[in-house]
Amino acid sequence: ERQLLELRQEPKSRHIVSTARMSKGAPVPIPAQISILAKYYPNGVVKTQTLRRLVWECDIIPTPNSVTYRIRIDYTINQNPNVYVIEPPVLDRPEGAEMLKHVYSTEKQQICLYYGPFGEWDSTMFLAQKIVPWAAEWLLFYELWVITGEWLGEGIEHSRQTPFRKANSTGRNDQ
């Protein structure tokens, strides 16, 4: 815990302008995000790293009976992290469901982990302590949804997404 506090020292100016709202502390620097991700999730891999952006992938097994999922977090400081399920390449759905539940995009498998206006995430937080556990929880609720047809997790319905279209034999999406 002491190490985490040292990584998040207060800046000289106590207010940093965020695209979402004013933040009380400094954003966690990308190298610190990587350090904590590596500590908690040693199987994770950095795909892209700049001073302000991180793309990181990790295998997650939500329960002992689950398959292995690979998630990708695409994060830019002072923006919401984008989280995708990249393995398996097509997530199952219950019979009759065209779209995944609680996602921003069924086709991209971009999952929704929190409701921004509630202030559950900001750049002063560690991805390893919030976003990755929320992704594992989403995957657990996803597995239950596939079995029962009922979404048992919390969340707000997403109305602006397009149904998933299976690729035909030419690799192009059917219309």
Side-chain angles (χ1 to χ4, degrees):
E1 186 173 21
R2 178 185 163 113
Q3 183 182 22
L4 295 180
L5 295 174
E6 290 173 358
L7 292 172
R8 294 183 54 199
Q9 293 177 352
E10 290 291 322
K12 291 180 182 175
S13 168
R14 294 189 46 82
H15 299 285
I16 297 199
V17 177
S18 167
T19 56
R21 62 186 170 100
M22 295 297 284
S23 178
K24 292 181 182 177
V28 176
I30 294 298
Q33 291 284 10
I34 292 169
S35 175
I36 300 304
L37 284 164
K39 178 180 177 181
Y40 283 83
Y41 306 98
N43 72 329
V45 177
V46 173
K47 295 296 192 174
T48 302
Q49 175 187 356
T50 67
L51 287 176
R52 300 197 46 79
R53 183 171 178 237
L54 170 65
V55 177
W56 180 82
E57 293 180 4
C58 180
D59 290 337
I60 294 181
I61 304 170
T63 74
N65 297 322
S66 297
V67 299
T68 300
Y69 299 91
R70 178 161 285 251
I71 63 164
R72 175 180 294 144
I73 298 174
D74 188 341
Y75 171 64
T76 301
I77 290 178
N78 289 333
Q79 295 182 16
N80 293 330
N82 295 307
V83 182
Y84 305 88
V85 178
I86 58 173
E87 291 292 333
V90 177
L91 290 172
D92 292 333
R93 292 160 194 71
E95 186 150 340
E98 289 185 33
M99 296 186 294
L100 294 170
K101 286 283 193 179
H102 297 284
V103 296
Y104 294 109
S105 168
T106 291
E107 196 161 357
K108 294 178 184 178
Q109 298 185 159
Q110 182 182 3
I111 62 178
C112 176
L113 303 178
Y114 62 94
Y115 185 57
F118 288 171
E120 297 169 298
W121 165 261
D122 67 48
S123 290
T124 66
M125 300 173 183
F126 286 98
L127 297 164
Q129 294 175 329
K130 293 280 188 173
I131 300 301
V132 180
W134 287 343
E137 182 180 53
W138 186 97
L139 289 165
L140 170 64
F141 287 123
Y142 156 76
E143 289 181 343
L144 294 170
W145 174 67
V146 170
I147 294 166
T148 67
E150 180 182 353
W151 186 264
L152 300 173
E154 295 179 352
I156 294 174
E157 280 298 318
H158 293 262
S159 58
R160 291 187 188 164
Q161 58 164 320
T162 56
F164 177 79
R165 293 181 296 255
K166 291 185 179 178
N168 63 24
S169 59
T170 64
R172 295 164 45 165
N173 289 332
D174 294 327
Q175 298 300 320

